[in-house]
Amino acid sequence: MSEQHAPPPRPPRVLRVLRATAAAQAAVLLVQAVSAGLLLASVPVGRSAHGTMAGAVVLAVALHLAAAVAARRRGAVATRTVLQAAPLPLFTLAQAALGFAHVRELHVPLGVLMFGVSVMTLMRIRALPPLHARPPSPVAARNAGAAA
């Protein structure tokens, strides 16, 4: 006979929101890269698409950082998650400045870096169990045993 197993518990809402914002950030940066290719290929819609997507990138990066802070405040993720999300808004500002200055030599590689970081962030966050579901660290277990 087969045993009936209960489905795994759903992660907290704040962790689901964090995962969704990480996915949105990666998707927006991918579309931004496609629009950059259109711009470099001199497709007429490329310039307007790239400019519009720049605003979407700013929004996605800001929402992801806000979600990381909210998840940290609720205890769903470690502080490291916020620290890893914090540089992307700075990269976005640098990207905008380099784009307006038409410095493609730095603008394009920084965009590739941002996309790579966003995909790595998405993969890390999707694999991340909530803090309360993780087994205690050996140090915490030893301290709890000494306190008892």
Side-chain angles (χ1 to χ4, degrees):
M1 292 189 177
S2 66
E3 295 181 19
Q4 294 291 330
H5 294 287
R10 288 181 67 180
R13 174 187 274 180
V14 70
L15 189 56
R16 292 192 315 261
V17 169
L18 181 63
R19 289 175 177 168
T21 59
Q25 177 179 277
V28 167
L29 283 166
L30 176 63
V31 173
Q32 179 69 334
V34 170
S35 69
L38 293 174
L39 176 64
L40 292 174
S42 300
V43 174
V45 74
R47 182 175 298 280
S48 62
H50 196 64
T52 302
M53 288 309 299
V57 168
V58 170
L59 181 63
V61 166
L63 285 176
H64 178 66
L65 181 58
V69 169
R72 174 61 193 120
R73 285 193 176 168
R74 304 227 187 219
V77 295
T79 305
R80 178 182 62 186
T81 303
V82 176
L83 295 176
Q84 290 171 342
L88 224 47
L90 300 175
F91 289 165
T92 303
L93 292 175
Q95 268 295 82
L98 291 168
F100 283 123
H102 301 287
V103 183
R104 289 184 186 156
E105 298 81 12
L106 298 175
H107 182 76
V108 172
L110 185 56
V112 172
L113 174 70
M114 287 176 63
F115 178 67
V117 166
S118 70
V119 170
M120 287 177 23
T121 299
L122 174 61
M123 303 314 329
R124 186 183 46 75
I125 288 175
R126 296 234 355 123
L128 189 67
L131 281 179
H132 59 78
R134 295 182 196 156
S137 69
V139 174
R142 188 172 44 242
N143 291 341

